[in-house]
Amino acid sequence: FLNRGADMEHAFKNVDVYVDNSENLIAIPHGHSKKYSMAGLDIILTLSSPYDDEQLAIFLEDAMSKCFCQEADDNSGLSSLEKHLQIKGYSKATKSRRLVGFEWFADQGYVLMPTQKKRGFVHMEDKKINLGHEVSKETLAAAFREAMAISI
């Protein structure tokens, strides 16, 4: 389903997946930013609960495929999530949400990174889930559900 030939141009790709209390998902792929090197794009993918493992895996793969497909908007003072939700202030926009990082590294493959909300979201490195280069839909969905449960 997901394989090592995902991207020859970039060594790293990242998608922020925000999860609300009903497990509805908002995914924001990252791309090139002149100001920050890499930043969330104004491309928003959503998946409403309930969803099955296949829908979840396709949603995550679709979001990852959108990384670097455009330049980030460095001129806006608002994050992509704030714009989408029409809520000013990142802490307000994320108030009832958790964050799971979905990452791809040329050398390691796919990784799911649970986070803990402090001042912003902090990666829980000791809880990261390494999926490798080739990942089935079932494995991706199960691992994402685990990362979603770990994130606080």
Side-chain angles (χ1 to χ4, degrees), residues 111-116 123-130 143 146-147 150-152:
V111 173
L112 287 165
M113 181 63 73
T115 67
Q116 182 175 6
H123 285 186
M124 298 168 73
E125 289 284 341
D126 60 325
K127 308 260 195 233
K128 77 178 175 183
I129 301 168
N130 292 303
E146 181 183 341
I150 293 169
S151 296
I152 50 177

Side-chain angles (χ1 to χ4, degrees), residues 50-152:
Y51 40 82
D52 63 27
D53 286 354
E54 179 151 344
Q55 291 168 313
L56 176 56
I58 289 169
F59 168 78
L60 292 169
E61 193 276 331
D62 190 28
M64 185 64 74
S65 74
K66 304 270 190 290
C67 288
F68 294 102
C69 72
Q70 68 185 43
E71 287 278 320
D73 177 8
D74 290 337
N75 298 320
S76 174
L78 300 176
S79 68
S80 304
L81 183 67
E82 290 169 274
K83 290 181 211 172
H84 173 68
L85 296 174
Q86 298 180 340
I87 296 173
K88 195 169 183 178
Y90 184 74
S91 62
K92 286 181 187 170
T94 59
K95 185 175 170 118
S96 61
R97 296 181 199 288
R98 294 168 281 155
L99 174 65
V100 175
F102 180 36
E103 304 168 346
W104 176 83
F105 298 86
D107 59 342
Q108 298 173 45
Y110 295 93
V111 173
L112 287 165
M113 181 63 73
T115 67
Q116 182 175 6
K117 194 182 292 184
K118 293 198 175 173
R119 290 182 171 225
F121 292 95
V122 178
H123 285 186
M124 298 168 73
E125 289 284 341
D126 60 325
K127 308 260 195 233
K128 77 178 175 183
I129 301 168
N130 292 303
L131 298 169
H133 288 285
E134 306 214 4
V135 185
S136 69
K137 288 179 184 175
E138 297 78 18
T139 300
L140 177 59
F144 185 83
R145 290 181 192 278
E146 181 183 341
M148 198 166 42
I150 293 169
S151 296
I152 50 177

